[in-house]
Amino acid sequence: MKYRILVAFLTLVFISACSSDNSDDSDNQPSVNKNLNRQSTGSSANDLLSDDVFKSMIIELVYVEGFEPTETAINNFVTFLNERTYKPGGITVEKRAIASPGQDVYTIEEIAQIEREQRQYYNTQNQIAVWAYFTDGEADTDSEADNTVTLGTAYWNTSFVIYEETLQGLSNGPLEPSRSLLETTVINHEFGHIFGLTNLGTPLQSSHEDSEHPKHCDEEDCLMYWATESAVNIANMGNMSSAPELDPQCIADLQANGGK
């Protein structure tokens, strides 16, 4: 069966939060405002790209048991970050498994609630924190009628989810890309949105936003092109040795916003 595969982004904004979400003063640790990691997608692009405020980055990579991403994809992701960001203090990955929440389908709000319950790392004075979640089950936006599936969603300023079970079902088979290649492509694409691409918080330096697919690049070879993970490209990716890269216009946008 052919699918049109969606790599989505979604912003969740909450007007209020309980006091326990705002700070954690235990063990004499500095106050942590968790809401700073629950802002709109792309709003922390400069903080992620530059070293003006945050000198290092920590990636809290959490996966449901049995759905761990490949080490190759993780390494490729860190390389992608190092190529585009100024973090003299380094980029660290903290990886751990959790039990399945026990659902077959997840709304993005349910994904966000899992983060609220499980996330351990938040921004500190010098370190910006990112939550990367690899889940079982599928997105509630998947549609058999339209033959569409969602592989990933960037939903807050430092948060994204990869639907790893769905991704595994579309890789490592005949005429399909390798699992690590598809993981790398989807992870980097989602983080491109967190970087504020395209016109999602990082200002455009040239006109290259796809008018028919907003917040995506109009260059077909770019990582941020809307059809990067389309059904057509799944077969094409089977012959690829590496994930698509950002085109020069997207790179110029990031450089103007504090990145490399």
Side-chain angles (χ1 to χ4, degrees):
M1 177 180 293
K2 286 193 173 182
Y3 294 92
R4 176 181 171 187
I5 302 173
L6 305 179
V7 178
F9 65 90
L10 182 68
T11 299
L12 299 179
V13 179
F14 296 94
I15 296 175
S16 62
C18 63
S19 59
S20 62
D21 282 346
N22 293 331
S23 64
D24 181 3
D25 298 319
S26 61
D27 301 324
N28 298 317
Q29 294 296 314
S31 178
V32 173
N33 185 350
K34 297 180 180 180
N35 289 323
L36 294 178
N37 292 96
R38 297 173 184 169
Q39 305 300 309
S40 59
T41 307
S43 63
S44 290
N46 179 260
D47 287 336
L48 289 158
L49 290 163
S50 75
D51 61 354
D52 293 345
V53 176
F54 299 104
K55 311 303 181 186
S56 63
M57 184 188 307
I58 185 167
I59 310 296
E60 185 176 0
L61 195 157
V62 177
Y63 60 91
V64 172
E65 293 174 348
F67 296 94
E68 180 179 2
T70 61
E71 197 64 30
T72 297
I74 296 172
N75 291 338
N76 290 341
F77 177 40
V78 173
T79 297
F80 175 72
L81 295 177
N82 278 316
E83 287 176 345
R84 298 294 157 226
T85 68
Y86 290 99
K87 294 298 173 219
I91 297 174
T92 304
V93 177
E94 290 289 339
K95 184 173 64 173
R96 74 177 192 278
I98 63 172
S100 172
Q103 297 179 214
D104 295 326
V105 178
Y106 295 91
T107 66
I108 198 64
E109 174 54 35
E110 288 169 334
I111 293 294
Q113 183 58 32
I114 293 169
E115 176 181 345
R116 293 187 193 95
E117 296 169 356
Q118 296 289 343
R119 185 165 180 164
Q120 297 178 359
Y121 292 92
Y122 294 87
N123 295 353
T124 59
Q125 184 175 1
N126 296 311
Q127 180 174 259
I128 192 164
V130 171
W131 164 269
Y133 180 52
F134 294 75
T135 189
D136 57 351
E138 63 184 36
D140 70 320
T141 52
D142 290 359
S143 170
E144 290 187 7
D146 296 330
N147 288 336
T148 62
V149 294
T150 300
L151 294 184
T153 304
Y155 56 94
W156 276 332
N157 56 326
T158 60
S159 304
F160 68 97
V161 58
I162 303 298
Y163 297 93
E164 182 68 16
E165 183 174 6
T166 301
L167 185 151
Q168 289 184 18
L170 292 166
S171 57
N172 282 353
L175 303 179
E176 293 177 343
S178 70
R179 179 177 153 198
S180 61
L181 174 59
L182 189 54
E183 286 174 340
T184 298
T185 302
V186 177
I187 293 168
N188 291 357
H189 181 102
E190 289 308 326
F191 212 85
H193 288 309
I194 289 176
F195 273 155
L197 297 173
T198 304
N199 200 25
L200 188 63
T202 289
L204 296 175
Q205 301 304 300
S206 60
S207 179
H208 65 104
E209 182 180 7
D210 190 335
S211 60
E212 295 184 3
H213 304 92
K215 313 310 176 187
H216 289 89
C217 183
D218 60 9
E219 291 295 326
E220 293 185 11
D221 293 333
C222 181
L223 173 69
M224 300 311 296
Y225 187 61
W226 73 272
T228 297
E229 286 79 33
S230 72
V232 173
N233 278 347
I234 285 289
N236 293 339
M237 288 176 72
N239 298 318
M240 295 173 61
S241 59
S242 61
E245 297 182 354
L246 294 173
D247 86 310
Q249 294 179 102
C250 283
I251 293 174
D253 293 346
L254 297 184
Q255 290 173 338
N257 198 24
K260 295 179 181 177

